[in-house]
Amino acid sequence: MADKSSSNAYWKANIRTIQLFLVIWFVASFGFGILLRPMLAGIKVGGTDLGFWFAQQGAALVFLVLIFAYAWRMNKLDREHGVEE
């Protein structure tokens, strides 16, 4: 990654990935667990409503999936821009 334009492209893609994952995390935790909970009250998951499930477990599971997805995406991005370890 010798030139500045390649470096800028790498960081632009990195920031775009981070922004996307933060939006997904926000929607899963704050959106489904708090804001949309009344609308999700009629949907049952494991004996409780879906909004409560997201607030208690779903957001944590989404967060774990996002960790692995981010690691996979960054490895792919590193290979594309020639900065892999």
Side-chain angles (χ1 to χ4, degrees):
M1 194 160 75
D3 62 2
K4 189 166 177 78
S5 65
S6 180
S7 177
N8 287 340
Y10 173 79
W11 283 107
K12 186 175 180 181
N14 186 2
I15 296 298
R16 193 173 39 242
T17 301
I18 291 171
Q19 289 172 340
L20 172 66
F21 285 0
L22 283 174
V23 167
I24 292 169
W25 177 59
F26 176 81
V27 169
S29 61
F30 192 73
F32 289 158
I34 297 172
L35 296 177
L36 299 175
R37 184 168 182 215
M39 292 177 13
L40 300 173
I43 303 170
K44 298 293 182 188
V45 172
T48 188
D49 66 271
L50 185 61
F52 181 78
W53 183 84
F54 261 105
Q56 298 302 312
Q57 295 183 152
L61 294 175
V62 168
F63 185 65
L64 286 174
V65 168
L66 285 175
I67 290 171
F68 288 107
Y70 179 75
W72 173 80
R73 174 67 181 131
M74 288 310 298
N75 284 335
K76 183 178 174 189
L77 190 63
D78 288 349
R79 282 191 304 275
E80 289 174 3
H81 291 276
V83 294
E84 71 270 12
E85 293 180 8

